[in-house]
Amino acid sequence: MTVTAPADGSPAASLLEEGAGAGPDRAFRTVTLVAGTMVLVILLLIAVTMTVRAWPAFSEFGTSYFFGTEWVPSEGKYGILPLVWGTVLVSLIALVFAVPMSVGIALFVNELAPRRLRRPVVTVVDILAAVPSVVFGLWAFYNLLPGFQTVFNGIADAVAGIPVLNTLFGPSTGSSFMSAGLILALMITPIITSVTREVFATVPENDKSGALALGATRWEMVRGVVFPHSMGGVTGAVMLGLGRAMGETVAVALIIGARPEISLNLFGVGETMPAQIFRQLSEAGALLRSALIGLGVILLVLTVLVNVGARRAVVAVDRRVKGTA
Amino acid sequence: MTTDTATGTDPVPATRSSEVAVALTGGTLGAGRRMRNTAASVLMVLAFLLAATPLVVMGVQVFSQGIDAVTSGSWWTAPIPETGRADLADNEALQDLGFGDTSGGDSSASEVVLGMAPAIVGTLLTVLGASVLAIPLGILGAVYLHEYGKKGRLARLIRFMTDVMTGVPSVVMGVFVYTVWVLPRGVDGKSALAASLALACLMLPIVVRSTEEMLKLVPDNLREASAALGTRTWKTTVKVVLPAALAGITSGSLLAVARAAGETAPVVFVIGFVTTTNLGFLGQNTTLSAQIYSQQQNGGALSTELAWGAALTLVGIVLVLTLVARGISRRFQIG
């Protein structure tokens, strides 16, 4: 009988076990149980209803849907690979910039900054997390893209004669994978920073002072003690950031340019899955609608997988820390 | 000789201790080690500046580009102006044909009564609806996790899936509500209520997790004291535990509200579009975030001004919510 759970075994609780008031208690427990299960119910509903609505596209196009390299709904071509490509590419660009930045900020706050600077720094990062996606998009569209275009084209001109680089860094109109990736980097930095900070905070103080006592510089202490201890947790943080980046919609929609294309030109126009859903769903005919909802299903599956991986990694850190304590 | 050997052995510990002392002050560090250490420190500061600078620049630019619209007097009360004509005046091809000019576009933008009231009302309405749906449910769910389920199998599963649900992209929530709510009802399904449903799905896991964290902070002594008086768990929870955690729960919920208020992706295709205020949960509506997006898509001087104004308004609302939440959680920290 765990009805009176916190007081298990205490005489008062066992005296009351089947006495007055047991009914309301059971009712309250049931209500909270139903509320708790809602998360599972909603997740299940999301997966099931969306899959059902997407089924026409899945069965109609079959492998040409999942492995088709052209997404041109007006011509009846529904191959999602260009959109998957855009999503993956943009997310990877975002990670390349966001991970070092986040780790740097986390180290700055945890190891370097004087105590009274910590709170302001954390506040700034939190505010960065609070800015709505669409505001990032609007700002980047009007105030950054012209500058990006100049810089990107400058780089493109500089590497024009170099074989691999001239493919990666081609001519640009401003809207591009790279622009979207850079803005995304800024947007996912807060989540990666905060998880990384938590992970760094679990490094035993003894290990750190031990390293310093042996004459290690602060950086050597970080490299020798903090990093090895935090590998798993930081991996989790990075995956959380990846999940965010993959699902980010409006900011990307505004600055990537809306051309579904498998292109290696990082400065070129592209498109991602969420952006395409966002643009098209409202006005789509039945078949396109089904194909777009299918994109939603795929996005759901991908982000759930990434997040499960991330949580596993973070939980593993938790367990190890509690095990040693 | 003996004194000689004594002085011979003496220097060894002496140098050691001086080495330690020097290492502590950084005096005899090799140039390479010292440089690497300094470089790492500089990079850490740089990382923070790399994130903070765009934030500051964005804040200044959103403010300077939106402040005229927001302070135009009619902003908070007037309907959203039709942007069609301003767009025409802004259209280069038409200008070439003699239909207006660039200054015409600007003057029409300043003659029009700028207003964003419908979107402000819509934002409040959708967020209110989402809060009513998600916050009580989330708090009850968290109560189950922490007061009843604890480390049980079901509670662990719910906890895990809540974390996973936090990572589900908001656009997917929008697609979900679109398929279960809007599609069966056609255009009539597009409403503030539909947007509230999508935002509630988004808020629910955030509220559950933040509330559970707060319940963890309530000392077990309180629960035991209450139980020792013969109080039932439900009453202990409602009268003792939840009040003790109230500040934290409020702050967590406010953060979820702030997040929902700023969301665009799940709102745009389930809410429709209006330019006049709709106070009802049914019927098409609009929000600040949806306006920013659609006005940006319109282009044109007037639309752009409206978009920046809406952006400043939205940032203001979200920032106030966030800072209030932080203030509350700082002032009422338990333990």
Side-chain angles (χ1 to χ4, degrees):
Chain A
M1 290 283 122
T2 51
V3 190
T4 47
D8 257 354
S10 86
S14 53
L15 284 176
L16 276 170
E17 202 61 70
E18 288 305 324
D25 207 18
R26 221 165 280 142
F28 186 70
R29 188 196 150 100
T30 312
V31 170
T32 62
L33 175 64
V34 170
T37 341
M38 277 310 281
V39 169
L40 303 181
V41 173
I42 291 174
L43 266 181
L44 204 67
L45 264 181
I46 292 177
V48 172
T49 55
M50 282 174 54
T51 311
V52 168
R53 286 287 184 172
W55 199 254
F58 289 169
S59 60
E60 176 107 355
F61 308 121
T63 49
S64 75
Y65 179 76
F66 293 100
F67 302 107
T69 53
E70 276 185 293
W71 176 272
V72 193
S74 57
E75 296 172 17
K77 291 172 182 163
Y78 297 97
I80 64 165
L81 281 189
L83 302 171
V84 176
W85 170 257
T87 307
V88 171
L89 193 57
V90 163
S91 308
L92 288 183
I93 294 174
L95 284 186
V96 165
F97 291 99
V99 172
M101 196 151 83
S102 307
V103 171
I105 298 174
L107 287 175
F108 177 61
V109 177
N110 281 24
E111 308 293 341
L112 191 64
R115 196 160 283 279
R116 68 201 150 76
L117 258 185
R118 283 183 196 175
R119 195 181 278 281
V121 169
V122 173
T123 306
V124 167
V125 178
D126 282 355
I127 290 178
L128 197 59
V131 176
S133 169
V134 67
V135 174
F136 271 107
L138 182 77
W139 172 66
F141 181 85
Y142 284 112
N143 297 42
L144 294 186
L145 286 193
F148 280 174
Q149 184 180 8
T150 315
V151 174
F152 292 169
N153 280 327
I155 297 176
D157 288 344
V159 299
I162 308 164
V164 179
L165 293 183
N166 63 5
T167 323
L168 286 177
F169 306 114
S172 177
T173 56
S175 299
S176 64
F177 294 113
M178 184 62 86
S179 316
L182 286 172
I183 295 304
L184 272 185
L186 209 53
M187 297 175 69
I188 63 174
T189 293
I191 177 90
I192 305 183
T193 303
S194 77
V195 179
T196 305
R197 242 161 53 73
E198 278 169 34
V199 174
F200 284 171
T202 65
V203 178
E205 207 55 43
N206 284 345
D207 292 14
K208 293 196 321 197
S209 24
L212 291 175
L214 287 172
T217 61
R218 199 195 325 255
W219 169 240
E220 286 161 351
M221 181 274 287
V222 166
R223 253 188 35 177
V225 178
V226 177
F227 281 170
H229 189 279
S230 314
M231 264 322 176
V234 173
T235 312
V238 171
M239 290 180 78
L240 279 183
L242 176 65
R244 280 288 163 84
M246 283 168 50
E248 195 47 64
T249 310
V250 198
V252 174
L254 287 176
I255 50 187
I256 197 169
R259 193 197 302 147
E261 207 170 61
I262 303 184
S263 152
L264 278 172
N265 180 5
L266 302 183
F267 294 163
V269 174
E271 180 70 325
T272 66
M273 291 192 280
Q276 186 64 200
I277 299 172
F278 182 66
R279 273 185 241 279
Q280 305 265 16
L281 189 58
S282 225
E283 277 97 42
L287 204 53
L288 175 56
R289 187 193 303 139
S290 178
L292 290 169
I293 296 173
L295 281 179
V297 174
I298 294 164
L299 194 61
L300 175 71
V301 171
L302 287 179
T303 48
V304 164
L305 286 179
V306 168
N307 275 284
V308 167
R311 297 295 169 186
R312 284 254 162 99
V314 174
V315 168
V317 171
D318 260 12
R319 236 176 243 150
R320 202 181 58 209
V321 170
K322 280 176 191 142
T324 56
Chain B
M1 281 298 282
T2 45
T3 46
D4 219 40
T5 45
T7 48
T9 51
D10 209 37
V12 183
T15 35
R16 262 196 207 136
S17 66
S18 74
E19 253 177 26
V20 170
V22 172
L24 284 175
T25 56
T28 57
L29 275 184
R33 290 179 65 200
R34 192 183 323 162
M35 248 166 56
R36 243 170 278 145
N37 188 43
T38 314
S41 304
V42 169
L43 282 177
M44 288 174 204
V45 177
L46 207 64
F48 171 65
L49 293 180
L50 265 178
T53 313
L55 181 68
V56 172
V57 172
M58 174 165 56
V60 169
Q61 289 179 337
V62 168
F63 185 83
S64 65
Q65 277 158 295
I67 192 68
D68 282 348
V70 174
T71 53
S72 66
S74 53
W75 184 254
W76 303 87
T77 50
I80 301 164
E82 300 291 336
T83 51
R85 286 175 62 197
D87 290 345
L88 282 184
D90 227 37
N91 185 309
E92 277 177 33
L94 286 172
Q95 282 165 29
D96 292 346
L97 293 169
F99 290 90
D101 53 6
T102 326
S103 63
D106 285 335
S107 72
S108 75
S110 55
E111 280 160 19
V112 182
V113 180
L114 294 173
M116 206 32 80
I120 295 165
V121 169
T123 300
L124 297 179
L125 209 57
T126 50
V127 169
L128 178 75
S131 305
V132 168
L133 290 170
I135 294 179
L137 202 61
I139 293 177
L140 285 174
V143 165
Y144 172 75
L145 289 183
H146 195 258
E147 307 296 323
Y148 290 107
K150 300 186 176 217
K151 295 232 149 86
R153 187 181 289 229
L154 180 62
R156 283 213 314 263
L157 177 70
I158 292 175
R159 216 168 273 133
F160 189 77
M161 293 320 270
T162 309
D163 281 344
V164 169
M165 194 172 167
T166 317
V168 171
S170 59
V171 70
V172 172
M173 303 299 187
V175 176
F176 167 59
V177 170
Y178 184 81
T179 55
V180 297
W181 188 266
V182 177
L183 270 186
R185 287 170 183 75
V187 184
D188 297 337
K190 293 193 175 183
S191 60
L193 181 59
S196 293
L197 286 173
L199 294 180
C201 291
L202 200 81
M203 285 171 67
L204 181 64
I206 308 178
V207 175
V208 171
R209 285 308 260 154
S210 68
T211 304
E212 200 197 350
E213 290 306 313
M214 293 309 136
L215 294 180
K216 274 185 198 162
L217 295 180
V218 176
D220 269 338
N221 293 348
L222 289 181
R223 296 186 181 84
E224 284 157 11
S226 175
L229 292 173
T231 318
R232 290 279 171 187
T233 308
W234 75 272
K235 213 163 195 178
T236 304
T237 306
V238 174
K239 299 250 166 168
V240 177
V241 179
L242 286 178
L246 188 63
I249 295 174
T250 312
S251 132
S253 303
L254 275 182
L255 286 178
V257 169
R259 171 99 195 274
E263 277 296 339
T264 314
V267 170
V268 166
F269 47 77
V270 299
I271 201 166
F273 190 90
V274 290
T275 53
T276 51
T277 303
N278 175 2
L279 278 170
F281 273 102
L282 298 176
Q284 298 204 19
N285 216 317
T286 191
T287 67
L288 286 167
S289 54
Q291 280 300 318
I292 299 172
Y293 175 73
S294 49
Q295 298 294 353
Q296 189 276 343
Q297 293 293 296
N298 275 348
L302 174 57
S303 286
T304 311
E305 190 167 6
L306 288 172
W308 282 111
L312 179 58
T313 314
L314 182 59
V315 168
I317 292 175
V318 169
L319 217 57
V320 167
L321 284 172
T322 309
L323 293 179
V324 168
R326 285 180 64 91
I328 292 177
S329 71
R330 199 189 312 178
R331 188 151 306 174
F332 298 97
Q333 262 160 4
I334 316 169

